[in-house]
Amino acid sequence: MENIQELKGKAKSTLKVVFEVLEIILIAFALSWVVRSYVLEARIIPTGSMLPTIQLQDRIIVDKFFFKHFGELERGDIIVFHPPESAHSSEDFIKRLIALPGDTIEIKDHVTYINGEAIKEAYVAEPQVKNLEPTVVPEGYVFVMGDNRNDSTDSREWGFLPIENITGMTLFRYWPLNRFGLIN
């Protein structure tokens, strides 16, 4: 009789440990889902549209919370967003924010102008081929372009990006290690 009681006690104790481990796993899963969905997200860069700033297959961390609640969008920010329907893609894009609502953007003779002034774009590897007539960015929208101007699907093709489509801002590159650090 004692052996049966002993076995029942061990079984209860083992079952308790199993439930505690499952509880820890579920809590960890829920927390990681919340962090990934609303705070920070790791991403792998699938295309070369941001060369030379961000290389193909670089791993980056995207801020999905702080920039929305405490920051302000600025020209030059590298953002992650859901492309508008006119881009015909369901994958998120990563591009550089070039013009804000109310700005006039123009591209002529390989130079980008914002409100009539040429902007310095040291991050662009080669001169852009396409020109763009002066265009005012409407309220609630921004104008974005990839740094690899001649191989990027961006606002020059599919138009202005609704600000509400922006899901995050790049923070830093964590892989490869020799390029670890903030992304400018």
Side-chain angles (χ1 to χ4, degrees):
M1 193 70 148
E2 273 182 46
N3 286 341
I4 292 175
Q5 291 295 358
E6 218 175 273
L7 286 174
K8 283 183 180 180
K10 285 183 181 181
K12 284 183 181 180
S13 148
T14 302
L15 198 55
K16 183 178 178 184
V17 169
V18 168
F19 280 123
E20 286 177 0
V21 168
L22 285 175
E23 182 180 37
I24 290 169
I25 290 171
L26 286 174
I27 290 170
F29 178 76
L31 284 174
S32 69
W33 179 80
V34 167
V35 168
R36 186 177 191 279
S37 297
Y38 301 105
V39 182
L40 295 172
E41 180 179 15
R43 290 190 158 260
I44 298 173
I45 304 303
T47 71
S49 72
M50 286 300 292
L51 290 169
T53 307
I54 303 175
Q55 303 292 312
L56 205 59
Q57 299 301 306
D58 276 1
R59 271 85 166 154
I60 63 170
I61 296 293
V62 176
D63 162 26
K64 298 175 90 174
F65 178 78
F66 294 99
F67 94 95
K68 280 187 177 183
H69 300 284
F70 305 109
E72 193 173 306
L73 293 173
E74 296 180 12
R75 284 184 211 99
D77 287 343
I78 299 175
I79 59 174
V80 175
F81 56 91
H82 303 303
E85 287 183 28
S86 55
H88 306 293
S89 177
S90 60
E91 298 292 320
D92 283 355
F93 285 7
I94 181 169
K95 305 289 180 198
R96 190 175 296 273
L97 196 153
I98 302 297
L100 297 166
D103 285 345
T104 299
I105 182 166
E106 177 181 14
I107 302 169
K108 67 178 178 184
D109 301 325
H110 314 295
V111 178
T112 303
Y113 295 85
I114 301 296
N115 302 324
E117 292 189 33
I119 60 172
K120 293 180 179 156
E121 298 183 293
Y123 43 79
V124 176
E126 59 186 33
Q128 53 197 325
V129 176
K130 300 176 187 175
N131 286 330
L132 177 71
E133 294 297 315
T135 307
V136 176
V137 179
E139 285 302 315
Y141 294 84
V142 293
F143 192 94
V144 298
M145 291 193 284
D147 290 356
N148 188 359
R149 296 291 160 81
N150 297 320
D151 192 19
S152 175
T153 301
D154 51 42
S155 288
R156 295 170 295 170
E157 289 184 35
W158 39 257
F160 303 109
L161 173 70
I163 291 174
E164 65 194 26
N165 287 28
I166 299 172
T167 60
M169 186 176 304
T170 60
L171 285 179
F172 64 91
R173 178 182 6 248
Y174 68 91
W175 190 263
L177 290 176
N178 65 335
R179 288 198 313 275
F180 180 91
L182 297 176
I183 300 172
N184 297 332

